[in-house]
Coordinates of all heavy atoms in Angstrom, one line a residue:
A1 N -21.8 -42.6 -17.2 CA -21.3 -41.2 -17.5 C -22.4 -40.4 -18.1 O -23.3 -40.9 -18.8 CB -20.1 -41.3 -18.5
D2 N -22.4 -39.1 -17.8 CA -23.3 -38.2 -18.3 C -23.0 -37.8 -19.7 O -22.0 -37.1 -20.0 CB -23.3 -36.9 -17.4 CG -24.5 -35.9 -17.8 OD1 -25.1 -36.1 -18.9 OD2 -24.7 -34.9 -17.1
V3 N -23.8 -38.2 -20.7 CA -23.5 -38.0 -22.1 C -23.7 -36.6 -22.5 O -23.3 -36.2 -23.6 CB -24.4 -38.9 -23.0 CG1 -24.1 -40.4 -22.7 CG2 -25.9 -38.6 -22.7
N4 N -24.3 -35.7 -21.6 CA -24.6 -34.4 -22.0 C -23.4 -33.4 -21.6 O -23.5 -32.2 -21.9 CB -25.9 -33.9 -21.3 CG -27.1 -34.6 -21.8 OD1 -27.2 -34.8 -23.0 ND2 -28.0 -35.0 -20.9
V5 N -22.4 -34.0 -20.9 CA -21.3 -33.1 -20.5 C -20.5 -32.8 -21.8 O -20.1 -33.6 -22.6 CB -20.4 -33.9 -19.5 CG1 -19.1 -33.1 -19.2 CG2 -21.1 -34.2 -18.2
K6 N -20.2 -31.5 -21.9 CA -19.5 -31.0 -23.1 C -18.0 -31.3 -22.9 O -17.4 -31.1 -21.8 CB -19.6 -29.5 -23.2 CG -21.0 -29.0 -23.5 CD -21.1 -27.5 -23.7 CE -22.5 -27.0 -23.9 NZ -22.5 -25.5 -24.0
P7 N -17.3 -31.8 -23.9 CA -15.9 -31.9 -23.8 C -15.2 -30.6 -23.7 O -15.6 -29.6 -24.3 CB -15.5 -32.6 -25.1 CG -16.6 -32.2 -26.1 CD -17.8 -32.1 -25.3
G8 N -14.1 -30.5 -22.9 CA -13.4 -29.3 -22.8 C -12.6 -28.9 -24.0 O -12.4 -29.8 -24.9
P9 N -12.3 -27.7 -24.2 CA -11.6 -27.3 -25.4 C -10.2 -27.9 -25.5 O -9.6 -28.2 -24.4 CB -11.5 -25.7 -25.3 CG -11.6 -25.5 -23.8 CD -12.5 -26.6 -23.3
R10 N -9.7 -28.2 -26.7 CA -8.4 -28.8 -26.8 C -7.3 -27.9 -26.4 O -7.3 -26.7 -26.6 CB -8.2 -29.1 -28.3 CG -6.9 -29.9 -28.6 CD -7.0 -30.4 -30.1 NE -7.2 -29.3 -31.0 CZ -6.2 -28.6 -31.6 NH1 -4.9 -28.9 -31.3 NH2 -6.5 -27.6 -32.5
R11 N -6.3 -28.4 -25.7 CA -5.2 -27.6 -25.1 C -4.3 -27.3 -26.3 O -3.8 -28.1 -27.0 CB -4.5 -28.4 -24.1 CG -3.4 -27.6 -23.4 CD -2.8 -28.4 -22.2 NE -1.7 -27.7 -21.6 CZ -1.9 -26.8 -20.6 NH1 -3.1 -26.6 -20.2 NH2 -0.8 -26.2 -20.0
L12 N -4.0 -26.0 -26.4 CA -3.2 -25.5 -27.5 C -1.7 -25.3 -27.0 O -1.4 -24.3 -26.4 CB -3.7 -24.2 -28.1 CG -5.2 -24.2 -28.6 CD1 -5.6 -22.9 -29.1 CD2 -5.3 -25.3 -29.8
I13 N -0.9 -26.3 -27.2 CA 0.4 -26.3 -26.7 C 1.3 -25.2 -27.3 O 2.0 -24.5 -26.6 CB 1.1 -27.7 -27.0 CG1 0.3 -28.8 -26.4 CG2 2.6 -27.7 -26.5 CD1 0.2 -28.8 -24.9
S14 N 1.1 -24.9 -28.6 CA 1.8 -23.9 -29.3 C 1.6 -22.5 -28.7 O 2.5 -21.7 -28.5 CB 1.5 -23.8 -30.8 OG 0.1 -23.6 -31.0
V15 N 0.3 -22.2 -28.3 CA -0.1 -21.0 -27.7 C 0.5 -20.8 -26.3 O 1.0 -19.8 -25.9 CB -1.6 -20.8 -27.7 CG1 -2.0 -19.5 -26.9 CG2 -2.2 -20.8 -29.1
Q16 N 0.4 -21.9 -25.6 CA 1.0 -21.9 -24.2 C 2.5 -21.7 -24.3 O 3.1 -21.0 -23.5 CB 0.7 -23.3 -23.5 CG -0.7 -23.5 -23.2 CD -1.4 -22.4 -22.3 OE1 -0.7 -21.8 -21.6 NE2 -2.7 -22.2 -22.5
G17 N 3.2 -22.3 -25.4 CA 4.6 -22.1 -25.5 C 4.9 -20.6 -25.8 O 5.9 -20.1 -25.4
L18 N 4.0 -20.0 -26.7 CA 4.2 -18.5 -27.0 C 4.1 -17.7 -25.7 O 4.8 -16.7 -25.5 CB 3.2 -18.1 -28.0 CG 3.3 -16.7 -28.5 CD1 4.6 -16.5 -29.2 CD2 2.1 -16.4 -29.5
R19 N 3.1 -18.1 -24.9 CA 2.9 -17.3 -23.6 C 4.2 -17.5 -22.7 O 4.6 -16.5 -22.1 CB 1.7 -17.9 -22.9 CG 1.5 -17.3 -21.5 CD 0.3 -17.9 -20.8 NE -0.9 -17.3 -21.1 CZ -2.1 -17.7 -20.6 NH1 -2.1 -18.7 -19.7 NH2 -3.2 -17.1 -20.9
G20 N 4.7 -18.7 -22.7 CA 5.9 -18.9 -21.9 C 7.1 -18.1 -22.4 O 7.9 -17.6 -21.6
L21 N 7.2 -18.0 -23.7 CA 8.3 -17.2 -24.3 C 8.2 -15.8 -24.0 O 9.1 -15.1 -23.6 CB 8.3 -17.4 -25.9 CG 9.3 -16.5 -26.6 CD1 10.7 -16.9 -26.3 CD2 9.0 -16.7 -28.1
A22 N 6.9 -15.3 -24.0 CA 6.7 -13.9 -23.6 C 7.1 -13.6 -22.2 O 7.7 -12.6 -21.9 CB 5.2 -13.5 -23.8
V23 N 6.7 -14.6 -21.3 CA 7.1 -14.4 -19.9 C 8.6 -14.3 -19.7 O 9.1 -13.5 -19.0 CB 6.5 -15.6 -19.0 CG1 7.1 -15.5 -17.6 CG2 5.0 -15.5 -19.0
V24 N 9.3 -15.2 -20.4 CA 10.8 -15.2 -20.3 C 11.4 -13.9 -20.8 O 12.3 -13.4 -20.2 CB 11.4 -16.4 -21.1 CG1 12.9 -16.3 -21.2 CG2 11.0 -17.7 -20.5
V25 N 10.9 -13.4 -21.9 CA 11.4 -12.1 -22.4 C 11.1 -11.0 -21.5 O 12.0 -10.1 -21.2 CB 10.7 -11.8 -23.8 CG1 11.1 -10.4 -24.3 CG2 11.2 -12.9 -24.8
V26 N 9.9 -11.0 -20.9 CA 9.6 -9.9 -19.9 C 10.5 -10.0 -18.7 O 11.0 -9.0 -18.1 CB 8.2 -10.0 -19.4 CG1 7.9 -9.1 -18.3 CG2 7.2 -9.6 -20.6
I27 N 10.8 -11.2 -18.2 CA 11.7 -11.4 -17.1 C 13.1 -10.9 -17.4 O 13.8 -10.2 -16.6 CB 11.8 -12.9 -16.7 CG1 10.5 -13.4 -16.1 CG2 12.9 -13.2 -15.7 CD1 10.4 -14.8 -15.8
L28 N 13.6 -11.2 -18.6 CA 14.9 -10.7 -19.1 C 15.0 -9.2 -19.0 O 16.0 -8.6 -18.6 CB 15.2 -11.2 -20.4 CG 15.6 -12.7 -20.5 CD1 15.8 -13.2 -22.0 CD2 16.9 -13.0 -19.8
V29 N 13.9 -8.5 -19.5 CA 14.0 -7.0 -19.5 C 14.0 -6.5 -18.1 O 14.7 -5.5 -17.8 CB 12.9 -6.4 -20.4 CG1 11.6 -6.5 -19.7 CG2 13.2 -5.0 -20.7
H30 N 13.3 -7.1 -17.2 CA 13.3 -6.6 -15.8 C 14.6 -6.9 -15.1 O 15.1 -6.1 -14.3 CB 12.1 -7.2 -15.0 CG 10.8 -6.6 -15.4 ND1 10.5 -5.3 -15.1 CD2 9.7 -7.1 -16.0 CE1 9.3 -5.0 -15.5 NE2 8.8 -6.1 -16.1
L31 N 15.2 -8.0 -15.5 CA 16.6 -8.3 -15.0 C 17.6 -7.3 -15.5 O 18.5 -6.9 -14.8 CB 17.0 -9.7 -15.4 CG 16.3 -10.9 -14.6 CD1 16.7 -12.2 -15.2 CD2 16.6 -10.8 -13.1
H32 N 17.4 -6.9 -16.8 CA 18.3 -5.9 -17.3 C 18.1 -4.6 -16.6 O 19.1 -3.9 -16.3 CB 17.9 -5.7 -18.8 CG 18.4 -4.4 -19.4 ND1 19.7 -4.1 -19.6 CD2 17.7 -3.2 -19.7 CE1 19.9 -2.9 -20.1 NE2 18.7 -2.3 -20.1
H33 N 16.9 -4.2 -16.2 CA 16.7 -2.9 -15.5 C 17.3 -3.0 -14.1 O 17.9 -2.1 -13.6 CB 15.2 -2.7 -15.3 CG 14.5 -2.2 -16.6 ND1 13.2 -2.3 -16.8 CD2 15.0 -1.8 -17.7 CE1 12.9 -1.8 -18.0 NE2 14.0 -1.5 -18.6

């Protein structure tokens, strides 16, 4: 293995969850329209 390869950033589940919540809310408002 190449020891110089940088590890990727840690996946932030809480932030992804917040993004998913935002998407659901936007979908709801467009369904309302």
Side-chain angles (χ1 to χ4, degrees):
D2 186 350
V3 296
N4 294 318
V5 175
K6 296 179 182 178
R10 183 168 58 90
R11 186 175 178 84
L12 302 178
I13 302 300
S14 59
V15 174
Q16 296 299 335
L18 184 61
R19 175 186 276 182
L21 175 63
V23 171
V24 170
V25 172
V26 171
I27 290 173
L28 284 174
V29 75
H30 284 295
L31 287 175
H32 161 71
H33 287 164

